[in-house]
Amino acid sequence: MTSQWPLLHHQLDDFTEPWREQPAPVVLLHPGLAGNGELYRSWVPILTDEYRVLRIDARGQGRSPRPEGYVWSLAAFVEDVVALLDDLQIERVHWVGASGGGIIGQHAAATLTGRIESLVLLATTPRFRSPTNDVNGWLQPLYRGDVAGFFRQDTARRFGLDNQARTNWIIDEIARTPAQTIAELHQWVVGVDLVDNLARITCPTLIITGEQDTLTDLSDAALMQQHIPDSRLDVIEGHPHNVGYTHPHLVAS
């Protein structure tokens, strides 16, 4: 697929046996809104015995530029990924999407023919709901340019309270994305509703959620399991929304 936009920032790690007759399958790690591929760094040594591991920064987030005229949409996010896969000559991937990356992954699996081998939906939802009735009130720290303040108002349910240094590192990585962009993305995502498309996802799908996740909670996970035909639900007991970043060993393996 050709695209008018620059390719996404990405890193492809391949530590599989170089004498393989066929290249190893690819796991695509798609971060949540405002995140970047560095948040998956601890997944790499767990996966690279068997897979090539492709980490991306979505458009306008992390180190991927957002050119003038780029409009947020599920179709555009997926087009970016397909353009990158075509450039890397990768035909099929196992898509792992955390939070917003899982929302985009649902759309990709429902609309792309033959490109998604399997799907992991990690701490995500088919229809994101603001944790408060006042979306603009929730986003106020971002309007002031305070990325850390925005994420710290949800620290317990996003990251847990057991490791402050880890939480600081995650927030610092997310803060590579401008506050205005993060606000726009959250304003955009509250209008997304994929429930009617879930039945179109035919690839094997693993749904994972933290037991203490109240941003995308167990009801969201149960809804996806109900509507995606070939799906399974795993609940990580005692862990928050970003369990994939905070406790990768519990998820990646």
Side-chain angles (χ1 to χ4, degrees), residues 30 32 36 39 45 55 73 77 89 133 142 148 160-161 189 195 212 217 233 236 238 253:
H30 197 303
N36 60 66
L39 294 168
R55 293 178 284 160
S73 73
F77 282 130
Q89 299 182 26
N133 292 329
L142 294 174
L161 300 174
V189 78
V195 173
Q212 296 179 357
D217 59 24
L233 171 61
I236 309 297
S253 58

Side-chain angles (χ1 to χ4, degrees), residues 46 63 76 121 209 244:
I46 299 172
R63 299 168 181 84
L121 300 176
T209 189

Side-chain angles (χ1 to χ4, degrees), residues 87-99:
D87 186 75
L88 296 173
Q89 299 182 26
I90 296 171
E91 183 61 30
R92 297 169 67 85
V93 296
H94 300 278
W95 184 303
V96 177
S99 194

Side-chain angles (χ1 to χ4, degrees), residues 131-217:
T132 68
N133 292 329
D134 179 10
V135 175
N136 284 324
W138 180 51
L139 298 177
Q140 275 301 313
L142 294 174
Y143 298 150
R144 299 192 300 268
D146 185 3
V147 174
F150 172 71
F151 286 99
R152 290 190 191 284
Q153 68 186 353
D154 294 321
T155 295
R157 60 186 167 195
R158 285 185 185 274
F159 312 112
L161 300 174
D162 59 312
N163 190 323
Q164 188 60 52
R166 180 186 65 211
T167 296
N168 291 343
W169 178 80
I170 294 172
I171 291 175
D172 285 346
E173 282 299 320
I174 294 172
R176 294 180 184 276
T177 300
Q180 179 181 345
T181 297
I182 301 174
E184 289 180 13
L185 286 165
H186 283 83
Q187 290 166 337
W188 164 77
V189 78
V190 295
V192 171
D193 189 335
L194 289 166
V195 173
D196 290 343
N197 288 335
L198 294 177
R200 298 172 59 191
I201 299 174
T202 58
C203 63
T205 301
L206 174 62
I207 302 160
I208 303 175
T209 189
E211 181 187 27
Q212 296 179 357
D213 183 355
T214 57
L215 284 174
T216 57
D217 59 24

